[in-house]
Amino acid sequence: MNLRALLYFRKKERKAAFILVSVLMLGTLLISCATAFSWFVRLQVLSIYSERGIISSRSMAQVITEVISKVLYEVAGRSSSDNFTQEWFKPFVIPLIDEELGIWVIQVIPLDDKIPLRNLFLPDGNTLRRELNDIWDNLWEKLEHRELNNLMLDFLDRNKRPRVGGAERDNFINRGPYDMSELLILSEDVTPEILSEINKYCTIWSEGRINLNVAPLEVLELLPGLDNGLAERLIRHREENPIEKLSDVQTVPGASSKTSIQLTNIAGFKSRYFEIKIQCIDTEGSSGRTYSIIFDRTGKQIVNWEEI
């Protein structure tokens, strides 16, 4: 075979190889595009199903909340106290109605159980309520942040005059907080860790009195007259004998009429605010969405809705 023929065949081989490579590359590109498109479609379908699930779950939570709100207002409202011994405050389950909706676990929790940050002052908005004086001092002693005592009062009161040991700054809200996280405005003094501790003792969901039937031990220990183990005895006592009036406090072992007097104007026995906690559990047993709804029984309205 002469040189010219050899070059001709080599040229044809290179051309065929180029065409083959081109076809392979084109095939690979088409397969990649098809795979990408299928993944895109799959993600879109999953997104649609997820969005549908969220909407269905939210609608179901809304229906449950409306029913429970009516019960709280009409049935629980007739009771002389709100306490954990009552049936409507015990957790309950709504059985599987639809596989897509899952199982619903519901609990209603009476609030008004801590120091009321929206009701610290007299109507003038500046003078700390006398019955809260010692409780407020005890709080900051307990948290080991005495420097925040008057500073926090200046932060929340209506005027711009600093108290002794306090301060007034341009960013102070000078009103009751709408959310506990607003206390982080005091970033120079209140860290997230300190706020977490404050949350154990204070609340914005209160009409102004602390419901002795639901207040946790750490809060009860701050109240006047409930020292020397009396707070613990009160918790054990209320499990079988809910407190319906101030004189009932005297039936707690170790309490006296003086104890009742010391709790005047701060102790309560019913709650205005309630947390409706709703958790959806899917058919495989794993937790889905959780809703925390705050219901104001006096105002007959939902005042806060969180989805976790």
Side-chain angles (χ1 to χ4, degrees):
M1 182 179 293
N2 58 32
L3 180 60
R4 180 177 291 181
L6 181 62
L7 291 174
Y8 175 76
F9 282 114
R10 289 285 177 84
K11 186 176 181 180
K12 288 189 68 175
E13 287 176 357
R14 286 197 300 271
K15 185 175 182 181
F18 176 77
I19 293 172
L20 179 61
V21 170
S22 298
V23 170
L24 290 173
M25 290 180 65
L26 181 60
T28 302
L29 179 62
L30 290 173
I31 292 172
S32 299
C33 289
T35 302
F37 182 73
S38 66
W39 272 101
F40 172 76
V41 172
R42 182 175 181 272
L43 291 174
Q44 290 299 307
V45 170
L46 290 175
S47 176
I48 291 171
Y49 273 107
S50 175
E51 190 66 28
R52 178 186 173 190
I54 291 172
I55 294 173
S56 298
S57 175
R58 191 174 294 155
S59 299
M60 185 66 176
Q62 180 68 38
V63 171
I64 293 171
T65 300
E66 289 178 0
V67 173
I68 291 176
S69 298
K70 290 180 180 179
V71 172
L72 282 173
Y73 183 75
E74 296 176 5
V75 179
R78 302 191 195 107
S79 174
S80 54
S81 70
D82 293 309
N83 60 82
F84 292 127
T85 67
Q86 294 162 321
E87 290 298 322
W88 45 83
F89 295 132
K90 295 178 181 179
F92 62 95
V93 175
I94 296 181
L96 187 69
I97 301 173
D98 186 310
E99 288 190 1
E100 292 186 2
L101 293 177
I103 299 172
W104 294 80
V105 180
I106 298 109
Q107 183 174 16
V108 181
I109 304 170
L111 301 179
D112 294 69
D113 56 341
K114 300 174 184 176
I115 298 172
L117 286 189
R118 285 182 178 174
N119 304 88
L120 289 175
F121 305 105
L122 294 176
D124 65 4
N126 302 306
T127 307
L128 183 66
R129 290 164 52 191
R130 185 175 62 180
E131 63 270 15
L132 287 175
N133 266 311
D134 290 341
I135 299 172
W136 190 253
D137 289 341
N138 292 341
L139 168 65
W140 301 109
E141 289 284 344
K142 182 79 172 180
L143 295 180
E144 297 182 350
H145 283 286
R146 289 183 291 274
E147 75 282 0
L148 292 177
N149 188 322
N150 285 324
L151 179 65
M152 190 66 70
L153 293 177
D154 280 332
F155 179 69
L156 298 173
D157 67 13
R158 292 180 191 169
N159 65 38
K160 290 289 185 180
R161 297 188 301 275
R163 301 166 191 268
V164 176
E168 284 289 348
R169 301 172 189 160
D170 292 338
N171 63 342
F172 278 13
I173 59 176
N174 294 118
R175 56 166 172 75
Y178 298 135
D179 187 276
M180 290 295 288
S181 62
E182 283 192 290
L183 301 187
L184 290 174
I185 294 174
L186 290 166
S187 56
E188 298 176 21
D189 309 277
V190 178
T191 64
E193 291 74 23
I194 294 176
L195 178 61
S196 178
E197 290 299 308
I198 294 174
N199 274 319
K200 296 177 182 178
Y201 298 90
C202 302
T203 183
I204 61 173
W205 305 120
S206 173
E207 193 168 32
R209 293 175 184 256
I210 299 173
N211 186 344
L212 298 183
N213 291 298
V214 296
L217 175 63
E218 59 266 24
V219 173
L220 290 175
E221 289 177 333
L222 297 179
L223 305 188
L226 296 184
D227 51 0
N228 298 321
L230 187 55
E232 293 182 3
R233 292 195 293 276
L234 187 151
I235 287 179
R236 291 195 297 270
H237 181 80
R238 73 188 186 188
E239 291 175 358
E240 296 183 359
N241 305 280
I243 301 170
E244 299 181 350
K245 53 187 181 297
L246 200 55
S247 59
D248 289 347
V249 175
Q250 299 175 38
T251 63
V252 178
S256 65
S257 57
K258 181 181 178 182
T259 308
S260 299
I261 294 172
Q262 288 177 296
L263 292 171
T264 302
N265 295 328
I266 189 58
F269 322 106
K270 293 180 67 65
S271 297
R272 171 173 178 169
Y273 296 96
F274 300 82
E275 179 186 13
I276 303 173
K277 196 169 186 178
I278 304 173
Q279 183 179 23
C280 176
I281 300 176
D282 62 29
T283 52
E284 295 180 355
S286 58
S287 297
R289 301 183 72 79
T290 299
Y291 302 87
S292 175
I293 300 117
I294 306 298
F295 175 69
D296 173 2
R297 182 163 61 189
T298 301
K300 295 191 288 187
Q301 62 182 335
I302 295 170
V303 292
N304 195 62
W305 180 295
E306 291 184 16
E307 299 181 19
I308 305 170

